[in-house]
PDB file of all heavy atoms in Angstrom:
ATOM      1  N   ASP A1395      54.140  36.231  85.248  1.00 89.00           N
ATOM      2  CA  ASP A1395      55.524  35.845  85.278  1.00 89.00           C
ATOM      3  C   ASP A1395      56.176  35.908  83.883  1.00 89.00           C
ATOM      4  O   ASP A1395      57.012  35.067  83.508  1.00 89.00           O
ATOM      5  CB  ASP A1395      55.679  34.402  85.800  1.00 89.00           C
ATOM      6  CG  ASP A1395      54.744  33.432  85.120  1.00 89.00           C
ATOM      7  OD1 ASP A1395      54.203  33.713  84.027  1.00 89.00           O
ATOM      8  OD2 ASP A1395      54.564  32.316  85.674  1.00 89.00           O
ATOM      9  N   VAL A1396      55.777  36.927  83.092  1.00 92.00           N
ATOM     10  CA  VAL A1396      56.276  37.080  81.753  1.00 92.00           C
ATOM     11  C   VAL A1396      57.825  37.194  81.779  1.00 92.00           C
ATOM     12  O   VAL A1396      58.516  36.567  80.984  1.00 92.00           O
ATOM     13  CB  VAL A1396      55.677  38.300  81.056  1.00 92.00           C
ATOM     14  CG1 VAL A1396      56.321  38.540  79.728  1.00 92.00           C
ATOM     15  CG2 VAL A1396      54.171  38.092  80.901  1.00 92.00           C
ATOM     16  N   ALA A1397      58.343  38.042  82.661  1.00 92.00           N
ATOM     17  CA  ALA A1397      59.799  38.215  82.731  1.00 92.00           C
ATOM     18  C   ALA A1397      60.550  36.960  83.075  1.00 92.00           C
ATOM     19  O   ALA A1397      61.615  36.646  82.481  1.00 92.00           O
ATOM     20  CB  ALA A1397      60.135  39.336  83.752  1.00 92.00           C
ATOM     21  N   GLN A1398      59.970  36.169  84.004  1.00 92.00           N
ATOM     22  CA  GLN A1398      60.624  34.922  84.399  1.00 92.00           C
ATOM     23  C   GLN A1398      60.586  33.901  83.276  1.00 92.00           C
ATOM     24  O   GLN A1398      61.571  33.204  83.046  1.00 92.00           O
ATOM     25  CB  GLN A1398      59.938  34.366  85.652  1.00 92.00           C
ATOM     26  CG  GLN A1398      60.155  35.135  86.918  1.00 92.00           C
ATOM     27  CD  GLN A1398      59.374  36.485  86.986  1.00 92.00           C
ATOM     28  OE1 GLN A1398      58.359  36.627  86.300  1.00 92.00           O
ATOM     29  NE2 GLN A1398      59.884  37.448  87.739  1.00 92.00           N
ATOM     30  N   ARG A1399      59.484  33.891  82.544  1.00 92.00           N
ATOM     31  CA  ARG A1399      59.416  32.900  81.433  1.00 92.00           C
ATOM     32  C   ARG A1399      60.396  33.336  80.313  1.00 92.00           C
ATOM     33  O   ARG A1399      61.030  32.440  79.705  1.00 92.00           O
ATOM     34  CB  ARG A1399      58.003  32.877  80.866  1.00 92.00           C
ATOM     35  CG  ARG A1399      56.992  32.245  81.793  1.00 92.00           C
ATOM     36  CD  ARG A1399      55.750  31.747  81.062  1.00 92.00           C
ATOM     37  NE  ARG A1399      55.162  32.743  80.175  1.00 92.00           N
ATOM     38  CZ  ARG A1399      54.244  33.646  80.568  1.00 92.00           C
ATOM     39  NH1 ARG A1399      53.858  33.679  81.855  1.00 92.00           N
ATOM     40  NH2 ARG A1399      53.748  34.508  79.692  1.00 92.00           N
ATOM     41  N   GLU A1400      60.553  34.607  80.079  1.00 92.00           N
ATOM     42  CA  GLU A1400      61.489  35.045  79.027  1.00 92.00           C
ATOM     43  C   GLU A1400      62.905  34.687  79.378  1.00 92.00           C
ATOM     44  O   GLU A1400      63.716  34.316  78.515  1.00 92.00           O
ATOM     45  CB  GLU A1400      61.363  36.561  78.841  1.00 92.00           C
ATOM     46  CG  GLU A1400      60.050  36.964  78.135  1.00 92.00           C
ATOM     47  CD  GLU A1400      59.931  38.478  77.991  1.00 92.00           C
ATOM     48  OE1 GLU A1400      60.792  39.189  78.580  1.00 92.00           O
ATOM     49  OE2 GLU A1400      59.041  38.952  77.267  1.00 92.00           O
ATOM     50  N   GLU A1401      63.271  34.787  80.652  1.00 92.00           N
ATOM     51  CA  GLU A1401      64.648  34.511  81.033  1.00 92.00           C
ATOM     52  C   GLU A1401      64.928  33.032  81.278  1.00 92.00           C
ATOM     53  O   GLU A1401      66.015  32.545  80.905  1.00 92.00           O
ATOM     54  CB  GLU A1401      64.984  35.292  82.303  1.00 92.00           C
ATOM     55  CG  GLU A1401      66.449  35.136  82.719  1.00 92.00           C
ATOM     56  CD  GLU A1401      66.827  36.033  83.910  1.00 92.00           C
ATOM     57  OE1 GLU A1401      65.982  36.859  84.348  1.00 92.00           O
ATOM     58  OE2 GLU A1401      67.969  35.921  84.388  1.00 92.00           O
ATOM     59  N   PHE A1402      63.968  32.322  81.882  1.00 93.00           N
ATOM     60  CA  PHE A1402      64.246  30.944  82.308  1.00 93.00           C
ATOM     61  C   PHE A1402      63.439  29.876  81.516  1.00 93.00           C
ATOM     62  O   PHE A1402      63.706  28.690  81.693  1.00 93.00           O
ATOM     63  CB  PHE A1402      63.974  30.778  83.791  1.00 93.00           C
ATOM     64  CG  PHE A1402      64.853  31.652  84.662  1.00 93.00           C
ATOM     65  CD1 PHE A1402      64.401  32.882  85.108  1.00 93.00           C
ATOM     66  CD2 PHE A1402      66.130  31.249  85.011  1.00 93.00           C
ATOM     67  CE1 PHE A1402      65.225  33.708  85.886  1.00 93.00           C
ATOM     68  CE2 PHE A1402      66.954  32.028  85.785  1.00 93.00           C
ATOM     69  CZ  PHE A1402      66.485  33.280  86.220  1.00 93.00           C
ATOM     70  N   GLY A1403      62.462  30.336  80.763  1.00 95.00           N
ATOM     71  CA  GLY A1403      61.618  29.374  80.024  1.00 95.00           C
ATOM     72  C   GLY A1403      60.332  29.128  80.713  1.00 95.00           C
ATOM     73  O   GLY A1403      59.273  29.061  80.064  1.00 95.00           O
ATOM     74  N   SER A1404      60.326  29.009  82.014  1.00 96.00           N
ATOM     75  CA  SER A1404      59.119  28.822  82.835  1.00 96.00           C
ATOM     76  C   SER A1404      59.468  28.994  84.305  1.00 96.00           C
ATOM     77  O   SER A1404      60.638  28.918  84.660  1.00 96.00           O
ATOM     78  CB  SER A1404      58.475  27.439  82.607  1.00 96.00           C
ATOM     79  OG  SER A1404      59.278  26.410  83.210  1.00 96.00           O
ATOM     80  N   VAL A1405      58.470  29.191  85.131  1.00 97.00           N
ATOM     81  CA  VAL A1405      58.758  29.278  86.547  1.00 97.00           C
ATOM     82  C   VAL A1405      59.272  27.961  87.126  1.00 97.00           C
ATOM     83  O   VAL A1405      60.225  27.966  87.892  1.00 97.00           O
ATOM     84  CB  VAL A1405      57.492  29.808  87.333  1.00 97.00           C
ATOM     85  CG1 VAL A1405      57.677  29.624  88.814  1.00 97.00           C
ATOM     86  CG2 VAL A1405      57.249  31.247  86.988  1.00 97.00           C
ATOM     87  N   PRO A1406      58.690  26.805  86.751  1.00 97.00           N
ATOM     88  CA  PRO A1406      59.295  25.543  87.251  1.00 97.00           C
ATOM     89  C   PRO A1406      60.747  25.432  86.867  1.00 97.00           C
ATOM     90  O   PRO A1406      61.583  24.963  87.662  1.00 97.00           O
ATOM     91  CB  PRO A1406      58.410  24.476  86.580  1.00 97.00           C
ATOM     92  CG  PRO A1406      57.083  25.100  86.470  1.00 97.00           C
ATOM     93  CD  PRO A1406      57.381  26.541  86.104  1.00 97.00           C
ATOM     94  N   ALA A1407      61.103  25.844  85.649  1.00 97.00           N
ATOM     95  CA  ALA A1407      62.501  25.778  85.237  1.00 97.00           C
ATOM     96  C   ALA A1407      63.365  26.729  86.110  1.00 97.00           C
ATOM     97  O   ALA A1407      64.514  26.363  86.467  1.00 97.00           O
ATOM     98  CB  ALA A1407      62.625  26.158  83.765  1.00 97.00           C
ATOM     99  N   LEU A1408      62.843  27.863  86.432  1.00 97.00           N
ATOM    100  CA  LEU A1408      63.541  28.811  87.311  1.00 97.00           C
ATOM    101  C   LEU A1408      63.746  28.182  88.720  1.00 97.00           C
ATOM    102  O   LEU A1408      64.848  28.198  89.292  1.00 97.00           O
ATOM    103  CB  LEU A1408      62.754  30.114  87.466  1.00 97.00           C
ATOM    104  CG  LEU A1408      63.098  31.027  88.633  1.00 97.00           C
ATOM    105  CD1 LEU A1408      64.557  31.469  88.586  1.00 97.00           C
ATOM    106  CD2 LEU A1408      62.183  32.251  88.633  1.00 97.00           C
ATOM    107  N   LEU A1409      62.686  27.580  89.261  1.00 97.00           N
ATOM    108  CA  LEU A1409      62.787  26.957  90.580  1.00 97.00           C
ATOM    109  C   LEU A1409      63.792  25.825  90.597  1.00 97.00           C
ATOM    110  O   LEU A1409      64.504  25.613  91.575  1.00 97.00           O
ATOM    111  CB  LEU A1409      61.409  26.454  91.009  1.00 97.00           C
ATOM    112  CG  LEU A1409      60.282  27.476  91.119  1.00 97.00           C
ATOM    113  CD1 LEU A1409      59.018  26.824  91.598  1.00 97.00           C
ATOM    114  CD2 LEU A1409      60.676  28.624  92.044  1.00 97.00           C
ATOM    115  N   GLU A1410      63.845  25.085  89.483  1.00 97.00           N
ATOM    116  CA  GLU A1410      64.854  24.010  89.389  1.00 97.00           C
ATOM    117  C   GLU A1410      66.260  24.592  89.323  1.00 97.00           C
ATOM    118  O   GLU A1410      67.184  24.097  89.977  1.00 97.00           O
ATOM    119  CB  GLU A1410      64.569  23.192  88.138  1.00 97.00           C
ATOM    120  CG  GLU A1410      65.648  22.160  87.751  1.00 97.00           C
ATOM    121  CD  GLU A1410      65.601  20.908  88.659  1.00 97.00           C
ATOM    122  OE1 GLU A1410      64.977  20.943  89.721  1.00 97.00           O
ATOM    123  OE2 GLU A1410      66.270  19.925  88.255  1.00 97.00           O
ATOM    124  N   LYS A1411      66.425  25.654  88.544  1.00 97.00           N
ATOM    125  CA  LYS A1411      67.772  26.261  88.393  1.00 97.00           C
ATOM    126  C   LYS A1411      68.312  26.800  89.727  1.00 97.00           C
ATOM    127  O   LYS A1411      69.511  26.634  89.971  1.00 97.00           O
ATOM    128  CB  LYS A1411      67.718  27.376  87.373  1.00 97.00           C
ATOM    129  CG  LYS A1411      69.065  28.044  87.056  1.00 97.00           C
ATOM    130  CD  LYS A1411      68.960  29.100  85.985  1.00 97.00           C
ATOM    131  CE  LYS A1411      70.281  29.753  85.692  1.00 97.00           C
ATOM    132  NZ  LYS A1411      71.309  28.778  85.227  1.00 97.00           N
ATOM    133  N   VAL A1412      67.458  27.383  90.532  1.00 96.00           N
ATOM    134  CA  VAL A1412      67.977  27.936  91.819  1.00 96.00           C
ATOM    135  C   VAL A1412      67.978  26.902  92.951  1.00 96.00           C
ATOM    136  O   VAL A1412      68.322  27.238  94.074  1.00 96.00           O
ATOM    137  CB  VAL A1412      67.114  29.183  92.261  1.00 96.00           C
ATOM    138  CG1 VAL A1412      67.171  30.250  91.194  1.00 96.00           C
ATOM    139  CG2 VAL A1412      65.665  28.776  92.551  1.00 96.00           C
ATOM    140  N   GLY A1413      67.580  25.672  92.640  1.00 96.00           N
ATOM    141  CA  GLY A1413      67.693  24.604  93.635  1.00 96.00           C
ATOM    142  C   GLY A1413      66.496  24.503  94.596  1.00 96.00           C
ATOM    143  O   GLY A1413      66.594  23.803  95.602  1.00 96.00           O
ATOM    144  N   LEU A1414      65.435  25.158  94.273  1.00 96.00           N
ATOM    145  CA  LEU A1414      64.296  25.117  95.219  1.00 96.00           C
ATOM    146  C   LEU A1414      63.521  23.806  95.139  1.00 96.00           C
ATOM    147  O   LEU A1414      62.827  23.440  96.051  1.00 96.00           O
ATOM    148  CB  LEU A1414      63.338  26.314  94.932  1.00 96.00           C
ATOM    149  CG  LEU A1414      62.278  26.541  95.995  1.00 96.00           C
ATOM    150  CD1 LEU A1414      62.171  28.002  96.348  1.00 96.00           C
ATOM    151  CD2 LEU A1414      60.911  26.056  95.502  1.00 96.00           C
ATOM    152  N   LEU A1415      63.657  23.061  94.042  1.00 96.00           N
ATOM    153  CA  LEU A1415      62.898  21.824  93.922  1.00 96.00           C
ATOM    154  C   LEU A1415      63.587  20.599  94.519  1.00 96.00           C
ATOM    155  O   LEU A1415      63.146  19.467  94.277  1.00 96.00           O
ATOM    156  CB  LEU A1415      62.598  21.552  92.410  1.00 96.00           C
ATOM    157  CG  LEU A1415      61.795  22.625  91.700  1.00 96.00           C
ATOM    158  CD1 LEU A1415      61.453  22.132  90.272  1.00 96.00           C
ATOM    159  CD2 LEU A1415      60.513  22.962  92.426  1.00 96.00           C
ATOM    160  N   GLY A1416      64.595  20.818  95.281  1.00 85.00           N
ATOM    161  CA  GLY A1416      65.361  19.698  95.811  1.00 85.00           C
ATOM    162  C   GLY A1416      64.764  19.057  97.050  1.00 85.00           C
ATOM    163  O   GLY A1416      65.271  18.017  97.535  1.00 85.00           O
ATOM    164  N   GLY A1417      63.679  19.584  97.588  1.00 92.00           N
ATOM    165  CA  GLY A1417      63.123  19.011  98.836  1.00 92.00           C
ATOM    166  C   GLY A1417      61.627  18.852  98.711  1.00 92.00           C
ATOM    167  O   GLY A1417      61.072  18.509  97.653  1.00 92.00           O
ATOM    168  N   ARG A1418      60.910  19.078  99.843  1.00 97.00           N
ATOM    169  CA  ARG A1418      59.439  18.980  99.871  1.00 97.00           C
ATOM    170  C   ARG A1418      58.854  20.285  99.313  1.00 97.00           C
ATOM    171  O   ARG A1418      59.052  21.356  99.895  1.00 97.00           O
ATOM    172  CB  ARG A1418      58.947  18.755 101.288  1.00 97.00           C
ATOM    173  CG  ARG A1418      59.493  17.502 101.975  1.00 97.00           C
ATOM    174  CD  ARG A1418      59.183  17.529 103.451  1.00 97.00           C
ATOM    175  NE  ARG A1418      57.756  17.632 103.755  1.00 97.00           N
ATOM    176  CZ  ARG A1418      57.245  18.202 104.831  1.00 97.00           C
ATOM    177  NH1 ARG A1418      58.030  18.736 105.753  1.00 97.00           N
ATOM    178  NH2 ARG A1418      55.928  18.247 105.021  1.00 97.00           N
TER     179      ARG A1418
END
């Protein structure tokens, strides 16, 4: 996930940004 880390900082940060962490 090198590209995702470069753009968003980390995959968890990406998941938070797109709203995926709002549920189960």
